[in-house]
Amino acid sequence: MTWLDALADKALDGSLPTREEALAVLRSSDDELMDVVAAAFRVRRRFFGRRVKLNYLVNIKSGLCPEDCFYCSQRVGSAADVLKYSWLKTDEVIATAEAGVAGGARRVCLVASGRGPTDRDIDRVASTIASFKARNPDVEVCACLGLLSDGQAERLAAAGTFAYNHNLNTSGGHYADICTTHEYADRVSTVDAAKSAGLSPCSGLIAGMGETEEDLVDVAFALRALSPDSVPVNFLIPFDGTPLAGQWELTPQRCLRILAMVRFVCPSAEVRLAGGREIHLRTLQPLALHIVNSIFLGDYLTSEGQPGAADLAMIADAGFTVEGAGNPSAVPATLAPSATLAPAAAPPVSELAPETPRPDLVHVRRRGAGTTLPANT
Ligand code: SF4
């Protein structure tokens, strides 16, 4: 039995790996990469079979945030040319969210920029969620509105909200290097508040922000301690105009190792491949489906993902099935890239290596919520 077989057995028993074992996954060689993926797949298959859950993001308030999260294109002082708009109207939110549902999403994630909602904001979002749920009773709604004050999680739950997302993002030790306007402990408290209100806790991380391997293990263990039902794993999209612009420190292989480490630490959690998958995993995205059991369909909050139809084709080609989707009605016959994508020139082939920065793959979102163009589903 190899050390990876033993690690998978441990995860299947629901036991935590040691820190050394988690670090060993991150430090494993490219020669061991397929063994790492295969071991993580044993765990993924036990809890989720070959199903992939689709989630759909709707940015219901974009940009102009007073917080300074260094990774975020919506932060105070951001020069990133992202869409900026205040709260979308209920019918706009519903139309965009339903486009995601038509594409196969079983969960819609309503996300607003800002430190946290006022009570009036909660009224507005709760009303929107209640209207959406009346039309789509079987679709889970996750809210992501920032730090919550007393009683707000309960009011969201009462409106029919299923889950609340608030990411830890990185380790407690690294937190001050990625944000100075709020603290790691604030984030932990909000996840706890959501859980106490009966909302399904969703909390994850962003890799590629200058953290060490120890930081990645720390945040994975901290997430496990919070018992989140879902764990989104993002890979930094280094937007121009943000403090982390130009920071390209991930390779497709490293992304797979990070996902596998999270799977071993949180074996039965919904591990969700989130922002940055297209630009960092690139052609290795289908391999990640053997580790994660959930992805976002289509676009992200401020950046464009690959066409939703390409997501569905990738899942089918890799031999997985979309969870609970029945017959997604929005699978187009073609996989033509979005007309709004105007790719920058790729690096010359002679320069392409796993560690080559790929700013040509970063596209600011110009369609869907807050625009007159159809959503990418
Ligand atoms: S991550 Fe959220 S709180 Fe931080 S700057 Fe972006 S929108 Fe604001």
Side-chain angles (χ1 to χ4, degrees):
M1 178 185 285
T2 69
W3 68 278
L4 286 161
D5 292 330
L7 196 52
D9 285 347
K10 215 167 169 178
L12 291 169
D13 286 344
S15 309
L16 253 184
T18 63
R19 285 184 58 84
E20 290 66 34
E21 287 169 332
L23 283 168
V25 173
L26 295 179
R27 291 172 180 162
S28 56
S29 69
D30 285 352
D31 286 348
E32 294 173 293
L33 187 62
M34 289 304 106
D35 296 328
V36 168
V37 173
F41 179 58
R42 281 184 59 212
V43 183
R44 182 247 201 262
R45 191 178 55 202
R46 163 74 68 85
F47 293 106
F48 300 99
R50 300 185 74 93
R51 302 186 303 278
V52 178
K53 181 171 180 178
L54 295 180
N55 308 270
Y56 193 67
L57 284 162
V58 184
N59 196 349
I60 61 176
K61 175 172 171 281
S62 181
L64 307 169
C65 183
E67 301 292 293
D68 75 351
C69 308
F70 297 2
Y71 53 85
C72 181
S73 57
Q74 306 183 77
R75 73 192 293 273
V76 64
S78 169
D81 188 24
V82 299
L83 296 170
K84 299 180 184 70
Y85 51 85
S86 191
W87 298 97
L88 294 184
K89 295 188 178 72
T90 292
D91 58 347
E92 295 171 312
V93 175
I94 290 177
T96 309
E98 288 183 347
V101 174
R106 291 298 92 190
R107 175 178 292 194
V108 296
C109 307
L110 308 185
V111 186
S113 62
R115 179 181 173 87
T118 63
D119 284 344
R120 205 162 147 235
D121 296 334
I122 291 287
D123 287 343
R124 180 199 314 269
V125 176
S127 165
T128 297
I129 289 171
S131 301
F132 176 83
K133 286 295 290 183
R135 294 164 54 96
N136 302 274
D138 298 332
V139 179
E140 296 171 354
V141 176
C142 179
C144 177
L145 310 174
L147 301 171
L148 293 176
S149 309
D150 285 351
Q152 292 185 332
E154 286 75 6
R155 289 167 61 201
L156 289 170
T161 311
F162 179 79
Y164 196 82
N165 165 263
H166 201 58
N167 293 332
L168 295 187
N169 288 327
T170 193
S171 70
H174 188 51
Y175 203 81
D177 296 324
I178 63 151
C179 179
T180 66
T181 49
H182 59 262
E183 296 185 354
Y184 181 78
D186 298 326
R187 292 197 163 253
V188 174
S189 310
T190 284
V191 179
D192 279 336
K195 208 159 55 168
S196 301
L199 294 168
S200 171
C202 173
S203 187
L205 62 98
I206 307 173
M209 301 193 293
E211 72 281 345
T212 62
E213 284 162 349
E214 285 80 3
D215 287 319
L216 286 169
V217 171
D218 282 349
V219 67
F221 277 58
L223 288 165
R224 162 117 179 187
L226 289 172
S227 304
D229 292 333
S230 43
V231 180
V233 179
N234 296 273
F235 301 112
L236 176 71
I237 300 173
F239 278 97
D240 284 345
T242 66
L244 298 187
Q247 190 148 331
W248 293 84
E249 56 190 52
L250 297 166
T251 63
Q253 294 81 1
R254 181 160 171 75
C255 293
L256 291 172
R257 286 190 276 268
I258 292 167
L259 292 168
M261 186 273 288
V262 174
R263 172 58 74 201
F264 292 127
V265 174
C266 303
S268 61
E270 175 192 323
V271 178
R272 186 182 310 163
L273 180 54
R277 70 174 153 94
E278 293 91 342
I279 67 172
H280 291 294
L281 276 161
R282 304 192 289 273
T283 55
L284 295 198
Q285 284 188 76
L287 275 181
L289 295 177
H290 292 76
I291 305 171
V292 307
N293 63 294
S294 177
I295 67 170
F296 285 111
L297 175 73
D299 291 340
Y300 304 95
L301 298 175
T302 61
S303 67
E304 294 192 349
Q306 67 187 16
D311 292 337
L312 299 176
M314 174 178 75
I315 291 166
D317 287 350
F320 292 84
T321 57
V322 174
E323 183 172 309
N327 281 317
S329 58
V331 185
T334 68
L335 296 180
S338 160
T340 65
L341 287 176
V349 172
S350 58
E351 290 176 12
L352 282 177
E355 58 280 3
T356 306
R358 295 299 305 271
D360 57 299
L361 298 178
V362 178
H363 305 289
V364 172
R365 183 174 68 82
R366 297 279 179 231
R367 61 191 170 194
T371 77
T372 54
L373 293 172
N376 170 27
T377 58

